[in-house]
């Protein structure tokens, strides 16, 4: 390691009104007052930040329904026969074991930087505009069919079909993909039987300086939504966040992924280099590679990592598995329409 | 724009504590970034606006904007460079000689890399001519240091795990230092209520002799970063930031020592 280390940071939200320190239902932050029955569309789990919704795209049942339809609809892709859901599989937390580097779709409503290097920045509307217009190069002519026209009419008041409207609807659907009901959450809400003894030991380790996971996989979201070089490679020049910002200190830094549902979202890391959680924990334990921009929060980069015992590693993996939210993975409203 | 956003976050954080409920009028609160009650918000219009600019120095030199490549050799002979500096100041209070104190009530989050967070605004009563003191709590006072108080980033990212006492970090001061054999290793000077014990620092800076002239007042509040490790307790990084953790969150003695050193870390200047 040399005298240069800094992962870039981002102040999270553009700002939302608070509704009290702990609340369970969406409030005025989520959409405008006229929105119908928002509480049933999106429930904000305990301990989560308020969800910010742009005024120009309130979350409505019709908008969410259209977004869900488009997410699963191959007509969205230009000429091709693929849908978002071909790569983003619900039972895998909307990641995919086969396609490479697929990022999960879990609680993205609270993200401000998208893709591993954060090259898409802004709101869900912004990233969805990118997905539709650039990645899928959607041809609106293919969408001009009666069933979709009806849904656009219901969502936006007129049957007009544009890529902008498609992006808005996809953003609305994405905002409903909230996961906050894992055994860990039930434990935190007082159900002491929700975690096993091993999982509780793993949790204590997770929240210790010895393992150091909590500083980056932080808060109820299990991510700080920032970028870090965690010591995967010795050569980091011009890679990751650094390729976007041009700042040397961002080289080798990638977006911190949430750990919610991480047990089903493998393989892991931006390049899928680890197949299992055991491999990931072995990496943090003894596979760390020092480099000029490694984050100081990585434990003992010079010694190769946290040097956890076999039992500790098992406990840590057990805890990561306790972040799986079966309700989220099986929620019919998130599946094919 | 930037200002509004950052101050806005502070407002949310503060509202979290008082549970003001939905629909708070952000724009009315953004001028002072504080809980309304008793804060600078109460200052009459036409008061004297005070801007306190926070500056971070290491060995007398400003911490670089990107904090890269600036190793400094401390009194114990450890060469160190800072890569991250974020912290809370609470209830910043400017007391004039003979007049009502101006208070920025609540917690103010500072990130060295976000210039907008390095400014605190207050308002002094009209007619005040001489200052007496600037006081604040470094970190969070115990009554405000309660888990769940901050729900939005970046303040929420200061969380201090329940298993270590809960609440929030007062400060994350991180970087690298030379171990002596040419290798550079991390240090993580994170302070907070370790084990539930309050280690916040009551800072009082003498402002006697400073005079209010004209229709605005500018002050510079300086954190002399190396002082966390120098006085009265001299830190040798070799003893404090030891492998494998290089951290002190679990170390009550280190927290107490930082608290004691905290009294002489800050200084006040008129630019
Ligand atoms: Cu810490």
């Amino acid at each position: 390691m040399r005298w240069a280390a800094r992962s870039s940071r981002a102040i999270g939200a553009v700002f939302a009104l608070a509704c009290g320190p702990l609340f369970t239902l969406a409030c005025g932050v989520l959409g405008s007052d006229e929105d119908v029955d928002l509480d049933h569309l999106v429930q904000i789990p305990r301990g989560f930040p308020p969800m910010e919704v742009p005024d120009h795209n309130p979350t409505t049942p019709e908008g969410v329904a259209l977004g869900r339809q488009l997410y699963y609809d191959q007509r969205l892709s230009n000429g091709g026969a693929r849908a978002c859901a071909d790569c983003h599989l619900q039972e895998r937390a909307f990641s995919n074991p086969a396609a490479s580097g697929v990022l999960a779709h879990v609680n993205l409503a609270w993200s401000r930087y998208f893709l591993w290097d954060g090259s898409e920045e802004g709101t869900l509307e912004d990233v969805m505009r990118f997905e539709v217009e650039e990645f899928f190069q959607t041809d609106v002519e293919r969408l001009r069919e009666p069933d979709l026209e009806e849904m656009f009419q219901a969502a936006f008041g007129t049957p007009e079909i544009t890529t902008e409207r498609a992006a808005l609807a996809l953003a609305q659907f994405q905002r409903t993909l909230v996961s906050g009901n894992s055994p860990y959450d039930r434990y935190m809400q007082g159900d002491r039987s929700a975690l096993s003894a091993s999982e509780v030991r793993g949790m204590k380790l997770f929240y210790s300086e010895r393992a150091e996971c909590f500083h980056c996989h932080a808060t109820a979201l299990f991510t700080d939504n920032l970028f870090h070089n965690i010591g995967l490679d010795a050569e980091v020049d011009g890679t990751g966040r650094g390729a976007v910002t041009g700042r040397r200190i961002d080289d080798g830094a990638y977006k911190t992924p949430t750990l919610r549902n991480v047990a089903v979202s493998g393989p892991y890391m931006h390049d899928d280099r680890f197949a299992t959680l055991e491999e990931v924990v072995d990496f943090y334990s003894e596979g760390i590679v020092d480099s000029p921009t490694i984050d100081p929060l990585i434990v003992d980069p010079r010694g190769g990592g946290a040097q956890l015992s076999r039992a500790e590693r098992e406990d840590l993996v057990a805890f990561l598995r306790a972040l799986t939210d079966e309700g989220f993975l099986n929620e019919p409203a998130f599946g094919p329409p | 724009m930037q200002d509004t956003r950052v101050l806005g976050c502070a407002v949310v954080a503060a509202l979290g504590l008082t549970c003001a409920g939905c629909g708070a009028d952000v724009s009315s609160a953004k001028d002072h970034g504080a809980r309304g009650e008793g804060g600078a918000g109460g200052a009459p219009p036409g008061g004297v606006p005070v801007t306190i600019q926070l500056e971070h120095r290491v060995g007398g030199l400003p911490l670089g904007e990107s904090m890269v490549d600036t190793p400094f050799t401390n009194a114990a002979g450890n060469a160190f460079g800072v890569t991250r500096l974020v912290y809370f100041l609470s209830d910043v209070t400017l007391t004039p000689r003979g007049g009502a104190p101006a208070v920025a009530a609540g917690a103010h989050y500072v990130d060295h890399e976000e210039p907008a967070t390095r400014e605190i605004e207050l308002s002094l009563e009209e007619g005040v001519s001489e200052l007496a003191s600037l006081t604040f709590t470094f970190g969070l006072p115990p009554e405000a240091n309660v888990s769940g108080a901050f729900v939005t980033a970046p303040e929420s990212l200061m969380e201090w795990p329940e298993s270590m006492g809960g609440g929030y970090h007062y400060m994350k001061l991180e970087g690298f230092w030379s171990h002596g054999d040419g290798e550079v290793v991390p240090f993580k000077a994170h302070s907070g209520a370790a084990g539930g014990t309050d280690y916040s620092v009551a800072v009082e800076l003498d402002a006697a002799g400073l005079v209010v002239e004209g229709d605005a007042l500018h002050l510079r509040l300086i954190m002399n970063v190396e002082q966390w490790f120098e006085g009265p307790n001299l830190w040798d990084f070799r003893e404090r930031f030891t492998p494998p953790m290089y951290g002190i969150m679990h170390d009550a003695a280190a927290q107490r020592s930082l608290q004691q050193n905290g009294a002489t870390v800050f200084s006040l200047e008129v630019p």
Side-chain angles (χ1 to χ4, degrees):
Chain A
M1 147 80 228
R2 301 194 305 269
W3 290 113
R6 185 76 183 92
S7 40
S8 63
R9 335 190 56 247
I11 289 210
V14 180
F15 183 62
L17 300 175
C19 302
L22 293 171
F23 54 98
T24 48
L25 295 178
C27 66
V29 178
L30 205 149
S32 61
D33 295 334
E34 309 86 79
D35 293 341
V36 263
D37 213 10
L38 277 177
D39 295 355
H40 293 289
L41 277 179
V42 185
Q43 293 219 348
I44 313 293
R46 238 177 125 81
F48 275 41
M51 186 187 287
E52 201 187 321
V53 182
D55 287 344
H56 71 276
N57 193 27
T59 316
T60 64
E62 296 78 13
V64 171
L66 173 60
R68 176 185 176 193
Q69 174 65 39
L70 294 172
Y71 192 85
Y72 284 93
D73 198 323
Q74 297 193 334
R75 284 174 289 181
L76 195 66
S77 65
N78 183 11
R82 62 178 181 183
C84 310
D86 291 347
C87 288
H88 296 283
L89 310 176
Q90 181 184 7
E91 69 272 23
R92 298 287 186 157
F94 300 97
S95 183
N96 191 316
S100 76
V102 180
L103 274 158
H105 291 170
V106 177
N107 302 328
L108 289 185
W110 288 278
S111 285
R112 286 298 166 268
Y113 292 89
F114 302 94
L115 307 184
W116 283 105
D117 59 7
S119 52
E120 288 303 315
E121 195 179 326
T123 62
L124 279 174
E125 283 73 13
D126 296 319
V127 68
M128 291 308 168
R129 207 170 287 126
F130 161 82
E131 295 287 342
V132 172
E133 293 174 359
E134 292 178 48
F135 185 46
F136 264 36
Q137 308 205 327
T138 300
D139 175 4
V140 287
E141 290 308 325
R142 294 195 71 204
L143 300 180
R144 291 216 171 95
E145 295 192 29
D147 60 326
L148 289 179
E149 278 171 348
E150 202 173 299
M151 295 186 84
F152 274 85
Q153 162 89 47
F156 298 109
T158 66
E160 193 194 347
I161 295 180
T162 63
T163 51
E164 172 68 13
R165 283 182 164 186
L168 296 181
L170 283 166
Q172 289 188 42
F173 173 58
Q174 190 67 233
R175 270 194 189 96
T176 66
L177 304 182
V178 172
S179 174
N181 187 14
S182 64
Y184 159 79
D185 298 288
R186 294 194 284 279
Y187 181 87
M188 293 305 283
Q189 282 152 33
D191 177 2
R192 296 288 131 168
S193 68
L195 294 184
S196 71
S198 166
E199 288 160 351
V200 171
R201 287 194 302 271
M203 176 171 73
K204 289 199 174 125
L205 203 50
F206 187 94
Y207 289 101
S208 72
E209 271 197 309
R210 179 152 156 61
E212 270 293 20
C213 318
F214 70 98
H215 280 122
C216 302
H217 298 286
T219 75
L221 298 170
F222 285 87
T223 172
D224 56 4
N225 279 310
L226 304 176
F227 303 87
H228 306 270
N229 170 2
I230 62 171
L232 290 165
D233 298 299
E235 270 307 317
V236 294
D237 284 1
T239 63
R241 185 70 181 150
V244 174
T245 64
R247 307 200 312 169
R248 182 172 68 111
I249 46 177
D250 291 333
D251 285 350
Y254 292 86
K255 167 174 164 153
T256 309
T258 180
L259 297 183
R260 288 190 174 275
N261 304 299
V262 74
V264 303
S265 70
Y268 303 107
M269 303 302 170
H270 66 276
D271 55 4
D272 286 345
R273 70 175 64 190
F274 301 126
T276 63
L277 286 177
E278 284 77 6
E279 286 176 37
V280 172
V281 170
D282 285 350
F283 156 75
Y284 281 112
S285 185
E286 50 215 22
I288 300 287
V289 180
D290 205 355
S291 68
T293 59
I294 197 163
D295 198 288
L297 292 169
I298 291 298
V299 180
D300 201 2
R302 203 180 158 200
Q307 310 293 334
L308 305 175
S309 71
R310 190 194 169 87
E312 285 174 321
R313 279 178 278 156
E314 282 171 11
D315 291 341
L316 200 47
V317 169
F319 174 64
L320 296 177
R321 292 194 196 288
L323 298 175
T324 304
D325 176 349
E326 292 294 340
F328 177 79
L329 303 177
N330 296 300
E331 169 59 53
F334 304 158
Chain B
M1 177 60 215
Q2 177 90 338
D3 286 33
T4 312
R5 187 183 56 161
V6 174
L7 288 171
C9 287
V11 175
V12 159
L15 288 176
L17 294 176
T18 51
C19 197
C22 301
D25 180 358
V26 181
S27 58
S28 73
K30 77 170 188 235
D31 296 335
H32 26 89
R35 256 175 296 178
E37 12 135 330
V48 181
V50 182
T51 307
I52 301 177
Q53 189 73 43
L54 286 153
E55 216 178 276
H56 306 126
R57 293 184 191 160
V58 185
L61 296 172
L63 204 59
E65 196 60 42
S66 60
M67 299 188 274
V68 185
D69 297 325
T70 50
F72 166 80
T73 302
N74 66 15
N78 320 122
F80 73 91
V82 174
T83 59
R84 180 182 285 122
L85 175 59
V86 292
Y87 59 92
F88 283 117
L89 297 182
S90 296
D91 301 322
V92 176
T93 305
L94 186 62
T95 307
R97 191 170 294 278
V103 188
H108 181 87
Y109 174 83
V110 184
D111 179 347
H112 175 74
E113 290 223 320
E114 294 287 340
T117 67
R118 302 205 309 257
E119 229 172 68
I120 298 175
E121 307 213 326
L122 298 169
S123 181
L124 272 175
E125 264 177 7
E126 193 106 48
V128 161
S129 64
E130 212 189 316
L131 302 179
S133 68
L134 179 73
T135 55
F136 55 85
T137 301
F138 174 78
L140 301 168
E143 67 274 13
N145 195 12
V146 181
S147 299
F150 301 106
V151 286
T152 53
E155 289 88 345
S156 60
L157 298 175
M158 296 293 272
E159 68 183 357
W160 187 275
E162 292 305 319
S163 52
M164 288 188 244
Y168 295 86
H169 288 73
Y170 305 150
M171 171 172 73
K172 294 182 191 174
L173 169 59
E174 294 163 15
F176 290 89
W177 61 286
S178 168
H179 205 263
D181 56 2
E183 287 274 3
V184 177
V185 292
F187 76 90
K188 293 172 282 184
H190 289 195
S191 69
T197 304
D198 174 39
Y199 295 110
S200 65
V201 188
V203 178
E204 176 161 4
L205 299 171
D206 189 6
L210 297 184
V211 185
V212 183
E213 279 167 350
D215 51 12
L217 178 63
H218 289 272
L219 295 174
R220 196 180 278 156
L221 175 59
I222 299 137
M223 180 196 278
N224 300 288
V225 173
E226 80 285 355
Q227 288 300 318
W228 286 112
F229 310 122
E230 294 197 354
N233 307 310
L234 181 66
W235 281 41
D236 186 338
F237 283 18
R238 280 167 293 213
E239 288 154 18
R240 294 288 187 182
F241 301 117
T242 51
M245 289 186 287
Y246 300 102
I248 54 162
M249 288 179 70
H250 58 286
D251 184 343
Q255 297 296 334
R256 176 72 67 202
S257 182
L258 279 185
Q259 182 190 36
Q260 289 164 350
N261 285 354
T264 53
V265 160
F266 291 92
S267 55
L268 194 59
E269 274 180 10
V270 180

